Amino acid sequence: MKINDSIKQSVDLTANKLGESVGKKTSKATSSPSASSADSVTLSTLSSQLKSLEAKVAGAEVFDAEKVDAIKSAISSGQFKVDSEKVADSLIASVRDLLNTQKP
């Protein structure tokens, strides 16, 4: 099993596609004859709070790179052991959570 950045590559491709589609929609909206320059947008205080929260989250690391590198090297050397009981317990717990959140 080869470990690579295939997830990152697919995320980059998706982001590029989204950017292209947003650009197309924006150009259509601005070229519309019904759009006037007097239109205005007012944002609530919640939007500024969300923006500041986004800035904080963007600066934080999402994962521990050292741990990922250690796992990669253990897998490539054949020393990585999967604790099937722990995996099964976590899977059962997540299914229970999903089932509990779906009940009205």
Side-chain angles (χ1 to χ4, degrees):
M1 179 174 158
K2 184 176 180 181
I3 302 170
N4 59 19
D5 292 334
S6 61
I7 294 173
K8 182 179 178 187
Q9 291 171 353
S10 65
V11 169
D12 289 341
L13 291 175
T14 305
N16 288 340
K17 289 179 183 176
L18 287 174
E20 290 171 1
S21 66
V22 168
K24 290 176 185 175
K25 289 178 184 176
T26 304
S27 64
K28 289 179 184 177
T30 56
S31 65
S32 170
S34 64
S36 68
S37 61
D39 292 340
S40 65
V41 176
T42 305
L43 300 176
S44 68
T45 57
L46 181 60
S47 66
S48 62
Q49 291 172 347
L50 287 174
K51 188 167 184 157
S52 66
L53 180 63
E54 180 184 21
K56 289 179 186 177
V57 172
E61 286 193 35
V62 179
F63 62 93
D64 185 2
E66 290 178 12
K67 187 173 182 179
V68 170
D69 289 337
I71 292 171
K72 280 183 180 180
S73 64
I75 290 172
S76 64
S77 66
Q79 298 175 349
F80 185 76
K81 304 266 190 235
V82 176
D83 185 357
S84 59
E85 287 184 23
K86 187 174 182 179
V87 171
D89 290 341
S90 296
L91 181 60
I92 291 169
S94 65
V95 169
R96 281 186 186 143
D97 289 342
L98 288 172
L99 291 174
N100 288 335
T101 58
Q102 290 178 357
K103 291 181 181 178

PDB file of all heavy atoms in Angstrom, residues 4 11 22-23 28 36 39 51 62 68 76 84 89 104:
ATOM      1  N   ASN A   4       0.456   8.477  -0.074  1.00  0.00           N
ATOM      2  CA  ASN A   4       0.815   9.695  -0.783  1.00  0.00           C
ATOM      3  C   ASN A   4      -0.198  10.786  -0.480  1.00  0.00           C
ATOM      4  O   ASN A   4      -1.046  10.631   0.380  1.00  0.00           O
ATOM      5  CB  ASN A   4       0.918   9.440  -2.286  1.00  0.00           C
ATOM      6  CG  ASN A   4      -0.380   8.913  -2.859  1.00  0.00           C
ATOM      7  OD1 ASN A   4      -1.430   9.053  -2.247  1.00  0.00           O
ATOM      8  ND2 ASN A   4      -0.312   8.309  -4.011  1.00  0.00           N
ATOM      9  N   VAL A  11      -8.597  17.300  -3.129  1.00  0.00           N
ATOM     10  CA  VAL A  11      -9.150  18.517  -2.538  1.00  0.00           C
ATOM     11  C   VAL A  11      -8.779  19.723  -3.397  1.00  0.00           C
ATOM     12  O   VAL A  11      -9.605  20.594  -3.645  1.00  0.00           O
ATOM     13  CB  VAL A  11      -8.649  18.695  -1.091  1.00  0.00           C
ATOM     14  CG1 VAL A  11      -8.998  20.066  -0.561  1.00  0.00           C
ATOM     15  CG2 VAL A  11      -9.241  17.619  -0.199  1.00  0.00           C
ATOM     16  N   VAL A  22     -17.849  29.321  -9.322  1.00  0.00           N
ATOM     17  CA  VAL A  22     -18.207  30.574  -8.651  1.00  0.00           C
ATOM     18  C   VAL A  22     -17.880  31.751  -9.558  1.00  0.00           C
ATOM     19  O   VAL A  22     -18.645  32.697  -9.664  1.00  0.00           O
ATOM     20  CB  VAL A  22     -17.478  30.698  -7.294  1.00  0.00           C
ATOM     21  CG1 VAL A  22     -17.612  32.092  -6.726  1.00  0.00           C
ATOM     22  CG2 VAL A  22     -18.030  29.670  -6.318  1.00  0.00           C
ATOM     23  N   GLY A  23     -16.750  31.688 -10.237  1.00  0.00           N
ATOM     24  CA  GLY A  23     -16.380  32.758 -11.155  1.00  0.00           C
ATOM     25  C   GLY A  23     -17.382  32.918 -12.277  1.00  0.00           C
ATOM     26  O   GLY A  23     -17.725  34.019 -12.669  1.00  0.00           O
ATOM     27  N   LYS A  28     -21.889  36.119 -14.551  1.00  0.00           N
ATOM     28  CA  LYS A  28     -23.262  36.180 -15.039  1.00  0.00           C
ATOM     29  C   LYS A  28     -24.073  37.192 -14.237  1.00  0.00           C
ATOM     30  O   LYS A  28     -24.853  37.939 -14.785  1.00  0.00           O
ATOM     31  CB  LYS A  28     -23.930  34.805 -14.959  1.00  0.00           C
ATOM     32  CG  LYS A  28     -23.411  33.817 -15.960  1.00  0.00           C
ATOM     33  CD  LYS A  28     -24.110  32.482 -15.797  1.00  0.00           C
ATOM     34  CE  LYS A  28     -23.540  31.432 -16.733  1.00  0.00           C
ATOM     35  NZ  LYS A  28     -24.151  30.124 -16.527  1.00  0.00           N
ATOM     36  N   SER A  36     -28.118  47.004 -10.484  1.00  0.00           N
ATOM     37  CA  SER A  36     -27.841  48.437 -10.432  1.00  0.00           C
ATOM     38  C   SER A  36     -26.698  48.700  -9.471  1.00  0.00           C
ATOM     39  O   SER A  36     -26.419  47.915  -8.587  1.00  0.00           O
ATOM     40  CB  SER A  36     -29.085  49.205  -9.981  1.00  0.00           C
ATOM     41  OG  SER A  36     -29.373  48.920  -8.637  1.00  0.00           O
ATOM     42  N   ASP A  39     -27.393  48.973  -5.392  1.00  0.00           N
ATOM     43  CA  ASP A  39     -27.635  47.848  -4.488  1.00  0.00           C
ATOM     44  C   ASP A  39     -26.607  47.856  -3.375  1.00  0.00           C
ATOM     45  O   ASP A  39     -25.445  48.197  -3.584  1.00  0.00           O
ATOM     46  CB  ASP A  39     -27.551  46.518  -5.241  1.00  0.00           C
ATOM     47  CG  ASP A  39     -28.680  46.349  -6.237  1.00  0.00           C
ATOM     48  OD1 ASP A  39     -29.703  47.051  -6.086  1.00  0.00           O
ATOM     49  OD2 ASP A  39     -28.538  45.527  -7.148  1.00  0.00           O
ATOM     50  N   LYS A  51     -16.011  35.566  10.735  1.00  0.00           N
ATOM     51  CA  LYS A  51     -14.776  35.854  10.013  1.00  0.00           C
ATOM     52  C   LYS A  51     -13.571  35.782  10.946  1.00  0.00           C
ATOM     53  O   LYS A  51     -12.533  35.231  10.586  1.00  0.00           O
ATOM     54  CB  LYS A  51     -14.847  37.218   9.341  1.00  0.00           C
ATOM     55  CG  LYS A  51     -13.688  37.482   8.424  1.00  0.00           C
ATOM     56  CD  LYS A  51     -13.933  38.677   7.556  1.00  0.00           C
ATOM     57  CE  LYS A  51     -12.766  38.827   6.601  1.00  0.00           C
ATOM     58  NZ  LYS A  51     -13.110  39.558   5.432  1.00  0.00           N
ATOM     59  N   VAL A  62      -4.564  21.295  11.794  1.00  0.00           N
ATOM     60  CA  VAL A  62      -5.696  20.387  11.871  1.00  0.00           C
ATOM     61  C   VAL A  62      -5.248  19.016  12.372  1.00  0.00           C
ATOM     62  O   VAL A  62      -6.021  18.295  12.977  1.00  0.00           O
ATOM     63  CB  VAL A  62      -6.375  20.263  10.493  1.00  0.00           C
ATOM     64  CG1 VAL A  62      -7.538  19.304  10.527  1.00  0.00           C
ATOM     65  CG2 VAL A  62      -6.822  21.623  10.007  1.00  0.00           C
ATOM     66  N   VAL A  68       1.588  11.733  12.029  1.00  0.00           N
ATOM     67  CA  VAL A  68       1.295  11.225  10.685  1.00  0.00           C
ATOM     68  C   VAL A  68       2.561  10.639  10.069  1.00  0.00           C
ATOM     69  O   VAL A  68       2.531   9.554   9.479  1.00  0.00           O
ATOM     70  CB  VAL A  68       0.696  12.323   9.788  1.00  0.00           C
ATOM     71  CG1 VAL A  68       0.606  11.882   8.344  1.00  0.00           C
ATOM     72  CG2 VAL A  68      -0.658  12.746  10.309  1.00  0.00           C
ATOM     73  N   SER A  76       5.026   1.815   6.051  1.00  0.00           N
ATOM     74  CA  SER A  76       5.956   1.475   4.971  1.00  0.00           C
ATOM     75  C   SER A  76       6.964   0.412   5.393  1.00  0.00           C
ATOM     76  O   SER A  76       7.403  -0.387   4.570  1.00  0.00           O
ATOM     77  CB  SER A  76       6.670   2.717   4.464  1.00  0.00           C
ATOM     78  OG  SER A  76       7.475   3.276   5.481  1.00  0.00           O
ATOM     79  N   SER A  84      -7.811  -4.062  16.161  1.00  0.00           N
ATOM     80  CA  SER A  84      -9.152  -4.267  15.622  1.00  0.00           C
ATOM     81  C   SER A  84     -10.244  -4.045  16.662  1.00  0.00           C
ATOM     82  O   SER A  84     -11.339  -3.585  16.334  1.00  0.00           O
ATOM     83  CB  SER A  84      -9.277  -5.663  15.009  1.00  0.00           C
ATOM     84  OG  SER A  84      -9.001  -6.652  15.977  1.00  0.00           O
ATOM     85  N   ASP A  89     -14.778  -0.846  18.411  1.00  0.00           N
ATOM     86  CA  ASP A  89     -15.435  -0.070  19.470  1.00  0.00           C
ATOM     87  C   ASP A  89     -15.735   1.356  19.007  1.00  0.00           C
ATOM     88  O   ASP A  89     -16.820   1.888  19.261  1.00  0.00           O
ATOM     89  CB  ASP A  89     -14.577  -0.040  20.730  1.00  0.00           C
ATOM     90  CG  ASP A  89     -14.512  -1.386  21.436  1.00  0.00           C
ATOM     91  OD1 ASP A  89     -15.385  -2.250  21.182  1.00  0.00           O
ATOM     92  OD2 ASP A  89     -13.577  -1.577  22.257  1.00  0.00           O
ATOM     93  N   PRO A 104     -36.228  11.674  16.721  1.00  0.00           N
ATOM     94  CA  PRO A 104     -36.861  12.969  17.008  1.00  0.00           C
ATOM     95  C   PRO A 104     -37.095  13.191  18.487  1.00  0.00           C
ATOM     96  O   PRO A 104     -37.111  12.407  19.302  1.00  0.00           O
ATOM     97  CB  PRO A 104     -38.204  12.909  16.290  1.00  0.00           C
ATOM     98  CG  PRO A 104     -38.388  11.494  15.832  1.00  0.00           C
ATOM     99  CD  PRO A 104     -37.087  10.776  16.008  1.00  0.00           C
TER     100      PRO A 104
END
